[in-house]
Amino acid sequence: MSEPKIKNMEEFASVSGISRPTISKYFNDPTSVRATTRERIERALDQFDYQPNMYAINQNRRLTKNIGVIVPYLADPFFAEMARHMEDLVIAAGYRPVLLGSHGDADLEVENLNSLRLMKPAGVLLAPLGRGSDPERIAEFSQDVPTVLFDANLETIGEAFVGSNNQQSINLIVDYLCRTGEPPSFFEMRLPSNPNAFKRRQAYVAAMEALGHEPQLIQVDGDGWEFEAIGFREGSRVLEERSLPTDTVLCSNDRLAIGFLSAAYQKGMRVGLGDGCALRVAGHDDHPFSRYTCPTLTTVSQDYESIATKSAESLFEVIESGSAEKMREETLFDGKLVMRGSA
Amino acid sequence: MSEPKIKNMEEFASVSGISRPTISKYFNDPTSVRATTRERIERALDQFDYQPNMYAINQNRRLTKNIGVIVPYLADPFFAEMARHMEDLVIAAGYRPVLLGSHGDADLEVENLNSLRLMKPAGVLLAPLGRGSDPERIAEFSQDVPTVLFDANLETIGEAFVGSNNQQSINLIVDYLCRTGEPPSFFEMRLPSNPNAFKRRQAYVAAMEALGHEPQLIQVDGDGWEFEAIGFREGSRVLEERSLPTDTVLCSNDRLAIGFLSAAYQKGMRVGLGDGCALRVAGHDDHPFSRYTCPTLTTVSQDYESIATKSAESLFEVIESGSAEKMREETLFDGKLVMRGSA
DNA sequence: ATTTTATTTTTACGCGCGTAAATTTTTAAA
DNA sequence: TTTAAAAATTTACGCGCGTAAAAATAAAAT
């Protein structure tokens, strides 16, 4: 790491005493050269620090070692954590992650796809916005670039989808809530941006009916990705109106629940499952903040580690098998009940 | 956007009836060609969709139009929001943002810098980890690449620093707390990762002394970036031990306060400034979640919009003026008192 | 030691674009 | 219209690397 600056592979070849094509081979796959030459190269490498020009490398490649990771909303810690996980996996597999957030904006989502395309990525891990996403553009993109969807499914798009088994997880928590108190009503946005919300609604209705209860949907207005604000505002409203059909509320996701809990607190309502509690509130996702709400939030965890791992592995498979493959695979991971203080 | 695929600039030149060098000029600066030719090019452009190969473009450039945005911890919504803002500004200025998170890891921070260097970025907006950062590597990097630091200052490194005026903001909230009740003690980590924390501690001590009160530091153990967890754990501990010197606690940042509030809630302590409240808790930053805590968190806002804007503009200036410039500039923005329920 | 096989070297070309210099064309000014 | 200035075209080279083909060398097998 000293000496004169090496400016290109030619120069590094001469100072290391190895021919340029061999050096080139080495950088594309260190194991593809004889062990003794590999050592010589590596010895030269920490004597002269040289790194190939990434632009020159990629100019003539049909695809690069880049893998795009696109999430709908980076300011949501759930997606931030997911992205973090995926980045690690991508690096471990020898690729370079390129992180992009869509900020809840469909146009930006498409732009992200476009700017990724210019990078000739080996593949993309995409969590689409859901409703609002432009399915045609995404489908188009996924035909050129190996794409694995996660979190939000867009039917038929991409090589695979990995997400949560909303059916199972909602069933789990509805069952739990019914066993331990009044059957829950379901608090959600009327037009959720996320397709999981639809699945959860259906699952809720089915679960309630299976248990012989009447489903009670509380569908509130609200747009965008500021779920806490919506949960707070609309939670405040329904609590003021005393229009809740039961004392138990299952929120479609934790961020709504966080807002709802805040509203309940401000209304002076004691939330929880003990005596003297007026309300039970549950969520879904096991959001990083859900263990610090007041009371702590009972919820169902999404197995985001498994989702991240499976997504990444699916993508690597597709990439390494040369993309033309079998059927589109959908993998759903079960959630786990997280019993905390709120229900 | 139809017809045959154009594969390079040569081909696009011929189908558009313009010479390749002119096309090249156009892409580097559309205003640098005559209006009539610009129109012809643009007409061809939406007839034949062609986008120059970014690798070929950048191969021979000493620097690209890329601007790195590095934050210490993307799963912290504060940094996520900041990054989002900066991305917008970077795009608006005609550059391409490259977002990198260091996940609280100094090695990763250095790696991020290294991988950025390969991209030959025009500049970097860097929020360093703080303590734990490798100042030498960062200094080295900042000598090659125009770098503006934000949030956390590393003295003498980079072309500029933009952050919060902790002196002013802490003064503000200490003053407020003293006016409305008992003087606060200061709850913080013994070895905070963030240099702002040191500034805030000093500012707290100075403010208290100026008001004739004795500063009371509550320095707790804890490492890493899981501030809520630390605030909760150590908050629970001090509340159990009843070792709080006053009924008012100023936390070094909102994330600690969020954990602390959660601890207080679980201990059954009523937090707030009304009668019947056993405790007042305040934070610092106006973290996105602070308006949904129970009670809502009284805090001082960081002017993150101004910080983002000023950081970006400083960087653009340095870049466009050819980097060799005047003195290193430090800009601090004042915070605003955000009076909510907790104090 | 000889043959076979696996690597490396030599040589050479191409990728897509930036860009410089000389020339021609277009536009604006006189 | 003529002249001067601005812009576009033609021509040509270089960037740093991938990579193919043929020749040379080294390692492994006989």
Side-chain angles (χ1 to χ4, degrees):
Chain A
M1 292 273 214
S2 51
E3 307 310 302
K5 291 263 170 178
I6 274 58
K7 67 173 220 296
N8 58 29
M9 198 179 275
E10 190 81 51
E11 220 169 277
F12 178 71
S14 71
V15 299
S16 65
I18 308 260
S19 73
R20 192 176 69 75
T22 303
I23 304 279
S24 176
K25 262 193 98 184
Y26 168 84
F27 276 109
N28 284 315
D29 177 9
T31 70
S32 70
V33 303
R34 201 188 293 144
T36 58
T37 43
R38 181 161 64 248
E39 277 165 31
R40 288 170 62 199
I41 293 176
E42 273 157 7
R43 230 175 304 135
L45 223 39
D46 53 39
Q47 193 181 149
F48 289 101
D49 99 299
Y50 156 74
Q51 294 188 268
N53 179 319
M54 63 162 288
Y55 297 104
I57 288 177
N58 289 322
Q59 169 171 17
N60 300 321
R61 276 211 197 306
R62 202 178 60 76
L63 358 132
T64 67
K65 283 284 190 179
N66 296 323
I67 286 186
V69 178
I70 306 183
V71 296
Y73 202 72
L74 259 177
D76 181 335
F78 173 77
F79 286 114
E81 286 289 354
M82 189 75 103
R84 178 182 117 71
H85 235 81
M86 288 180 165
E87 283 187 324
D88 290 345
L89 294 166
V90 165
I91 291 172
Y95 295 91
R96 232 180 61 83
V98 177
L99 179 59
L100 298 169
S102 303
H103 304 326
D105 179 350
D107 292 335
L108 186 51
E109 187 172 64
V110 170
E111 260 190 58
N112 281 338
L113 255 28
N114 283 338
S115 79
L116 255 188
R117 204 198 295 258
L118 293 180
M119 306 186 81
K120 302 192 262 187
V124 175
L125 293 163
L126 169 65
L129 292 172
R131 181 175 72 91
S133 279
D134 185 336
E136 287 170 40
R137 308 297 291 268
I138 298 179
E140 204 178 300
F141 177 87
S142 72
Q143 249 142 11
D144 301 351
V145 182
T147 303
V148 168
L149 299 188
F150 67 96
D151 185 66
N153 198 1
L154 301 176
E155 318 270 334
T156 77
I157 293 181
E159 317 285 337
F161 168 73
V162 183
S164 282
N165 186 348
N166 293 300
Q167 170 86 46
Q168 176 269 346
S169 59
I170 289 291
N171 217 65
L172 190 61
I173 191 144
V174 167
D175 194 31
Y176 165 77
L177 292 172
C178 289
R179 281 165 186 270
T180 49
E182 285 185 25
S185 48
F186 190 71
F187 184 87
E188 62 166 350
M189 290 159 72
R190 193 181 311 285
L191 291 172
S193 24
N194 192 303
N196 285 316
F198 288 103
K199 295 255 174 63
R200 291 177 193 169
R201 177 192 302 165
Q202 287 171 11
Y204 162 78
V205 170
M208 288 289 278
E209 284 172 350
L211 292 170
H213 303 300
E214 182 161 359
Q216 305 274 4
L217 297 178
I218 307 171
Q219 302 189 312
V220 303
D221 291 326
D223 240 335
W225 286 75
E226 304 223 340
F227 300 159
E228 294 87 1
I230 294 167
F232 179 79
R233 188 190 64 222
E234 297 298 316
S236 298
R237 192 176 55 74
V238 299
L239 290 175
E240 258 162 39
E241 291 174 354
R242 304 183 185 286
S243 60
L244 282 181
T246 75
D247 74 355
T248 301
V249 178
L250 172 59
C251 297
S252 181
N253 63 63
D254 280 355
R255 294 181 59 198
L256 281 173
I258 288 168
F260 196 101
L261 278 180
S262 182
Y265 181 91
Q266 286 187 36
K267 291 274 170 292
M269 299 183 74
R270 204 166 154 72
V271 176
L273 70 172
D275 292 335
C277 290
L279 199 61
R280 296 193 304 160
V281 175
H284 190 293
D285 290 348
D286 195 22
H287 188 284
F289 272 63
S290 60
R291 60 189 75 206
Y292 303 109
T293 55
C294 301
T296 53
L297 184 61
T298 288
T299 186
V300 201
S301 66
Q302 285 204 54
D303 188 353
Y304 69 91
E305 197 161 324
S306 295
I307 294 177
T309 306
K310 175 68 180 172
S311 304
E313 283 173 358
S314 299
L315 183 59
F316 300 151
E317 250 178 61
V318 175
I319 291 172
E320 276 144 32
S321 75
S323 106
E325 253 332 281
K326 48 209 166 200
M327 287 292 292
R328 182 174 188 276
E329 187 186 12
E330 297 195 3
T331 311
L332 301 181
F333 287 99
D334 283 0
K336 292 205 185 74
L337 188 60
V338 180
M339 287 179 283
R340 299 207 184 94
S342 69
Chain B
M1 296 274 213
S2 49
E3 307 311 299
K5 292 265 168 173
I6 274 58
K7 70 173 220 293
N8 59 27
M9 197 178 275
E10 190 83 50
E11 217 168 281
F12 179 71
S14 71
V15 300
S16 66
I18 310 259
S19 72
R20 191 175 69 74
T22 304
I23 303 278
S24 176
K25 261 192 99 184
Y26 168 85
F27 277 109
N28 285 314
D29 177 9
T31 71
S32 70
V33 302
R34 202 187 293 144
T36 58
T37 42
R38 181 160 64 249
E39 278 165 30
R40 287 171 61 199
I41 292 175
E42 274 156 7
R43 229 176 304 133
L45 223 38
D46 53 39
Q47 194 181 147
F48 290 101
D49 99 300
Y50 156 75
Q51 292 188 271
N53 179 319
M54 62 162 289
Y55 296 104
I57 288 177
N58 290 322
Q59 168 172 17
N60 301 320
R61 277 210 198 307
R62 201 178 60 77
L63 2 130
T64 66
K65 283 283 191 178
N66 296 324
I67 286 186
V69 178
I70 306 184
V71 296
Y73 202 72
L74 259 176
D76 182 335
F78 173 79
F79 286 114
E81 285 290 353
M82 190 74 105
R84 179 181 115 72
H85 235 80
M86 289 181 163
E87 283 187 324
D88 289 346
L89 294 166
V90 165
I91 291 171
Y95 296 90
R96 231 180 63 83
V98 177
L99 179 58
L100 297 169
S102 303
H103 305 327
D105 178 350
D107 293 334
L108 186 51
E109 188 173 60
V110 170
E111 258 190 60
N112 281 338
L113 256 29
N114 282 339
S115 81
L116 254 187
R117 204 198 295 259
L118 293 181
M119 305 187 80
K120 302 191 264 186
V124 174
L125 294 164
L126 169 64
L129 292 172
R131 179 175 73 90
S133 279
D134 184 337
E136 288 170 39
R137 310 296 294 267
I138 298 179
E140 201 179 301
F141 177 87
S142 73
Q143 250 142 9
D144 301 349
V145 181
T147 303
V148 168
L149 299 189
F150 67 97
D151 185 66
N153 198 1
L154 301 176
E155 318 269 333
T156 78
I157 294 181
E159 317 284 336
F161 167 73
V162 184
S164 282
N165 186 346
N166 292 302
Q167 171 87 45
Q168 176 269 345
S169 59
I170 288 291
N171 217 65
L172 191 61
I173 191 144
V174 168
D175 194 33
Y176 165 78
L177 291 172
C178 289
R179 282 165 186 271
T180 49
E182 286 184 26
S185 49
F186 190 70
F187 183 87
E188 63 167 351
M189 288 157 73
R190 195 181 311 283
L191 291 172
S193 25
N194 193 302
N196 285 316
F198 289 103
K199 296 255 174 63
R200 289 177 194 170
R201 176 192 304 166
Q202 288 169 11
Y204 163 77
V205 170
M208 288 289 278
E209 283 171 353
L211 292 170
H213 303 299
E214 180 160 0
Q216 305 275 4
L217 297 179
I218 306 170
Q219 301 190 314
V220 302
D221 292 325
D223 241 333
W225 288 76
E226 301 223 341
F227 301 158
E228 295 87 1
I230 294 168
F232 178 80
R233 189 189 62 220
E234 297 299 317
S236 298
R237 192 177 55 75
V238 299
L239 290 175
E240 257 162 40
E241 292 173 356
R242 302 181 185 288
S243 60
L244 281 181
T246 74
D247 74 356
T248 301
V249 177
L250 172 58
C251 296
S252 180
N253 63 62
D254 280 356
R255 294 180 61 199
L256 281 173
I258 287 168
F260 196 101
L261 279 179
S262 182
Y265 180 91
Q266 285 189 36
K267 290 273 171 293
M269 300 183 73
R270 205 167 152 72
V271 176
L273 71 171
D275 294 333
C277 290
L279 199 60
R280 296 193 303 160
V281 175
H284 190 293
D285 291 348
D286 196 20
H287 186 283
F289 273 64
S290 61
R291 60 190 74 210
Y292 302 109
T293 55
C294 302
T296 54
L297 184 62
T298 287
T299 185
V300 203
S301 66
Q302 286 204 53
D303 188 353
Y304 70 91
E305 196 160 326
S306 294
I307 294 176
T309 306
K310 175 68 180 171
S311 304
E313 282 173 358
S314 299
L315 183 60
F316 300 152
E317 253 178 59
V318 175
I319 291 172
E320 274 144 33
S321 76
S323 108
E325 252 332 278
K326 49 209 166 201
M327 289 291 294
R328 182 174 189 277
E329 188 187 13
E330 297 195 4
T331 312
L332 302 181
F333 287 99
D334 283 0
K336 292 205 186 72
L337 189 61
V338 180
M339 287 178 284
R340 297 208 184 95
S342 70

